[in-house]
Amino acid sequence: MLIKNATVVDPSQALHQKCDIRIVEGAIVEVAPMLSAAADERIIEAAGNYVLPGLFDMHVHLREPGQEHKEDIASGTAAAARGGVTGVLAMPNTTPTVESRAIVEDVQRRIAEKAKVQVELTGSITKGLRGEELSDIAEMIDAGIIAITDDGRTTMSEDFMIQAYQIIEPHDLVLISHSEDHDIVDGGAVHAGKVSADLGIKGIPPEVECNIVKRDIALAEQTGAKLHIAHISTKQSIAAVRDAQKRGLPITAEACPHHFCLTDEILYTAGNLAKVNPPIRSEEHRAAVEAGLLDGTISCIVTDHAPHTLEEKAGDIYKAPFGISGVELSLSLSYTHFVKSGKLTIDRLVELMAIQPRQLLNLKVPQIKVGESANLVIFNPNVERVIRAADMVSRGKNIPYEGMTVSGDVKMTFYDGAVVYEE
Ligand SMILES: [Zn+2]
């Protein structure tokens, strides 16, 4: 197969050049301008398109085992491939929770059988995310998890947090903190501010997040372990992370498209579909997330892909589950918001979406060079499209982006040498 006339962008080798790419039996065998096609060779005309390393989304909920009516490993990884995402880090809040070696091994068997892209696993910090008993973290590390988190909950016990940090530190694993102070959240459903007051919905103030971010930074500092703040959403939390980084601590953070593309005004039109935890906040917080990505304080773009059925998301906003689907939309949303607007180069976007998440997790970074197996995405930045939930590959159609126009779409995705998505 010959990909012709693409602009190859691979910042891991400082490559940004118009090239052809020849792939034979899944391996990249030539990267050079003006390659001529062999007889019978399939030609992919890619003039005006980018070829990027496959993306890695380090925050997805695949829902299997136990919640397959929302998503499963096959549908979730097909959605990832649709979005140019060739690797995901799956959160452990399945049913059962990923909390022991046996469960890790069960999920690994399912992945080997069904996944269309790379799936790496997290283990929970506490059993059932209940915060009452530590999970079998050392055993799970031995079985192959690459991070720990109680995502969906915060581990409120400082003792458990310190014990968890001490277990992971020698392995250079990262603890991913879903930062939510359960002592003060008090049933809020949306960001606390003008919009929540206007709609008469109980709000979630910024302190709910930044109290825990500050606590977790202090605990990480005590133990020397790596801390990663999940789906960071407030000005105060980002300032705390920036300050910790200035002091040389191994603290990182990730942000989601809904936290830099949208403000809580979206609640007026999308309603419950914009209910997510942490909430979509006001403009000052949205701008802070954007600034954190621009100045490098936040090093990864993730989706917090959280599929639910539309039935579950309907009705009483307090009863509807938190969460937005969208592993397949992140590249178009991020490209439109940051690159099309001239705020970031495509090269920087690739660092945020493909390179830095893998580096943080000590995973191999795919490169577009001779000898590598094809792990790449062909992205056409020149098309405009309207986002429709009905077009989505994911079983979760719960998005607040319905009807939004974005620039760019994935034309083909290759993972492990194979085409895993083609438009
Ligand atoms: Zn979370």
Side-chain angles (χ1 to χ4, degrees), residues 59 61 151-152 178 230-231 277-278 304:
H59 197 133
H61 297 271
D151 186 55
H178 166 107
H231 40 54
N277 189 9
D304 189 10

